[in-house]
């Protein structure tokens, strides 16, 4: 089992890396065999990316789809090798549509690295 304090520091550093749009730094937190499940996709679990190369590509596309993406109002919880981050994601699509949604990520750790990140967003409906 990893040190919970180290995993908590990892979650906080990941939010900072995502807000800096620093793919190299983000990827430094992931194991080479990690899994990333995005909130949208063709399957009930969203779009699944397996392995570092696929995760990098999935995150690169996230930054293209929301070039000014930002995760704020974040809180983090850790229990052993499991962690949760809650946040509000904001950004603007390339077509100019603003996005604001509350969401969370469920994390699994192994040896100080993220081995799974499962992301969920609230669906905001236009009224």
């Amino acid at each position: 089992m990893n040190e919970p304090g180290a995993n908590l520091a990892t979650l906080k550093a990941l939010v900072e890396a995502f807000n800096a749009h620093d793919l190299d730094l983000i990827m430094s937190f992931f194991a080479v065999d990690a899994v990333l499940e995005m909130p949208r996709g063709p399957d009930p679990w969203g779009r699944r990316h397996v392995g570092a190369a696929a995760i990098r590509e999935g995150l690169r596309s996230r930054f293209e789809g929301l070039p000014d993406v930002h995760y704020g109002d974040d809180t983090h919880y850790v229990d052993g090798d499991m962690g949760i981050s809650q946040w509000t994601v904001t950004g603007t699509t390339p077509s100019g549509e603003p996005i604001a949604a509350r969401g969370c990520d469920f994390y699994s750790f192994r040896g100080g690295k993220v081995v799974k990140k499962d992301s969920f967003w609230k669906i905001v409906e236009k009224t």
Side-chain angles (χ1 to χ4, degrees):
M1 186 180 304
N2 295 323
E3 173 61 38
N7 291 339
L8 185 61
T10 294
L11 294 181
K12 291 177 181 180
L14 262 168
V15 167
E16 291 177 16
F18 270 94
N19 286 338
H21 300 190
D22 187 336
L23 267 176
D24 290 333
L25 183 56
I26 293 167
M27 292 308 302
S28 74
F29 294 102
F30 283 85
V32 296
D33 61 342
V35 174
L36 169 66
E37 292 180 345
M38 301 293 273
R40 294 182 188 198
D43 296 301
W45 50 84
R47 184 169 310 280
R48 182 176 289 150
H49 303 281
V50 179
I55 291 170
R56 177 182 285 276
E57 179 58 25
L59 294 176
R60 186 196 59 71
S61 72
R62 159 63 58 222
F63 292 136
E64 284 182 357
L66 285 173
D68 60 346
V69 67
H70 182 268
Y71 297 86
D73 302 321
D74 53 300
T75 56
H76 311 277
Y77 309 90
V78 170
D79 185 9
D81 288 337
M82 302 289 295
I84 300 171
S85 290
Q86 296 175 300
W87 32 257
T88 301
V89 62
T90 57
T92 310
T93 67
S95 66
E97 179 185 355
I99 301 291
R102 197 69 184 138
C104 62
D105 292 317
F106 290 82
Y107 287 91
S108 298
F109 299 96
R110 180 184 69 228
K113 295 285 187 173
V114 172
V115 292
K116 185 171 184 184
K117 178 182 185 283
D118 192 358
S119 190
F120 296 85
W121 289 17
K122 294 286 189 177
I123 303 300
V124 178
E125 296 177 337
K126 306 285 188 226
T127 57

